[in-house]
Amino acid sequence: EVQLVESGGGLVQPGRSLRLSCAASGFTFDDYAMNWVRQAPGKGLEWVSSISWNSGNIGYADSVRGRFTISRDNTKNSLYLQMNSLRADDTALYYCAKDTGSTWSEFDYWGQGSLVTVSS
Amino acid sequence: SSELTQDPAVSVALGQTVRITCQGDSLRSYYATWYQQKPGQAPVLVIYGKNNRPSGIPDRFSGSSSGNTASLTITGAQAEDEADYYCNSRDSSGKHLNVVFGGGTKLTVL
């Protein structure tokens, strides 16, 4: 059974940093691209970042480029999102999502999300 | 980067057919992917590629595309289909490769 479990969210002040983690199990992690998608309270889904199986290709939404860094450790079956210079509009539930392959747009399994609240 | 446009809300009578659409320039180059999200739950993939359903998704869900418009059709809508539906696709219109989501469509089953 595929499982994705996010952690690391919480309340953080504007300008500070936070690192999200996603622990994956139930599939061969290094065969698939992985993704982060967020959802602000009461709003729609927003793509944040994607990373290929070997970290060779990485993409970011314009809204986070230069502030967020995606990475993965295939030896630990884990995905990460380092979030720096956080702003109030980064407040959202952050989902880790598995790709069907290397499409960057077909997300077949999702975690339950990790809530990030940016507020003073 | 380009955008994907969805109607904010659609309703359908129980057992009838409903089409949810998604419009955007990126759809001329890439297939749309469709997700269902119920309140308090993570999204669920319902359609990907040309018209593929993951295992466990009922065959009343289907996808199609024409020009810059992709459609998700539910044939014989059930009460449990009431949810928010989102489309997404890749987008290569800008300097960087992006992924775009539509704003979502709230489906009400009457």
Side-chain angles (χ1 to χ4, degrees):
Chain A
E1 178 193 6
V2 172
Q3 284 197 317
L4 299 170
V5 180
E6 301 94 338
S7 60
L11 174 63
V12 62
Q13 294 179 327
R16 304 298 292 266
S17 299
L18 209 57
R19 187 196 197 204
L20 301 183
S21 299
C22 172
S25 61
F27 65 101
T28 305
F29 185 70
D30 56 9
D31 275 352
Y32 298 93
M34 294 294 295
N35 312 274
W36 288 100
V37 177
R38 69 184 181 184
Q39 187 169 34
K43 302 297 184 182
L45 301 174
E46 180 188 13
W47 173 72
V48 174
S49 183
S50 296
I51 186 169
S52 62
W53 68 274
N54 64 351
S55 305
N57 286 307
I58 287 174
Y60 298 100
D62 292 343
S63 58
V64 307
R65 186 175 294 111
R67 300 188 298 122
F68 289 12
T69 301
I70 191 172
S71 62
R72 64 190 294 164
D73 186 338
N74 288 345
T75 67
K76 296 182 178 179
N77 290 351
S78 293
L79 177 71
Y80 307 100
L81 187 67
Q82 176 67 42
M83 303 183 294
N84 299 332
S85 303
L86 283 161
R87 312 185 304 219
D89 61 359
D90 293 318
T91 294
L93 186 62
Y94 284 74
Y95 291 105
C96 164
K98 171 187 168 294
D99 207 286
T100 58
S102 57
T103 69
W104 286 25
S105 61
E106 297 174 358
F107 309 150
D108 57 354
Y109 289 93
W110 298 62
Q112 286 304 304
S114 183
L115 182 61
V116 174
T117 303
V118 184
S119 175
S120 55
Chain B
S1 59
S2 63
E3 299 179 345
L4 295 178
T5 300
Q6 298 183 242
D7 291 328
V10 171
S11 62
V12 60
L14 184 68
Q16 296 303 301
T17 296
V18 63
R19 177 175 293 180
I20 299 170
T21 61
C22 174
Q23 286 189 303
D25 287 341
S26 63
L27 300 181
R28 296 185 185 278
S29 303
Y30 300 102
Y31 288 118
T33 303
W34 292 94
Y35 306 88
Q36 175 193 72
Q37 187 180 35
K38 297 181 179 180
Q41 297 183 18
V44 172
L45 177 67
V46 294
I47 293 290
Y48 65 100
K50 189 173 183 179
N51 181 21
N52 301 305
R53 282 178 290 105
S55 61
I57 300 302
D59 60 6
R60 62 179 178 271
F61 289 88
S62 63
S64 62
S65 183
S66 177
N68 73 336
T69 301
S71 300
L72 173 70
T73 300
I74 307 175
T75 304
Q78 301 299 302
E80 61 264 33
D81 299 334
E82 186 163 290
D84 293 327
Y85 290 85
Y86 295 92
C87 62
N88 81 334
S89 79
R90 291 178 72 160
D91 169 34
S92 57
S93 62
K95 177 181 177 181
H96 301 282
L97 181 62
N98 284 331
V99 177
V100 290
F101 275 94
T105 297
K106 181 177 183 60
L107 176 66
T108 300
V109 180
L110 304 172

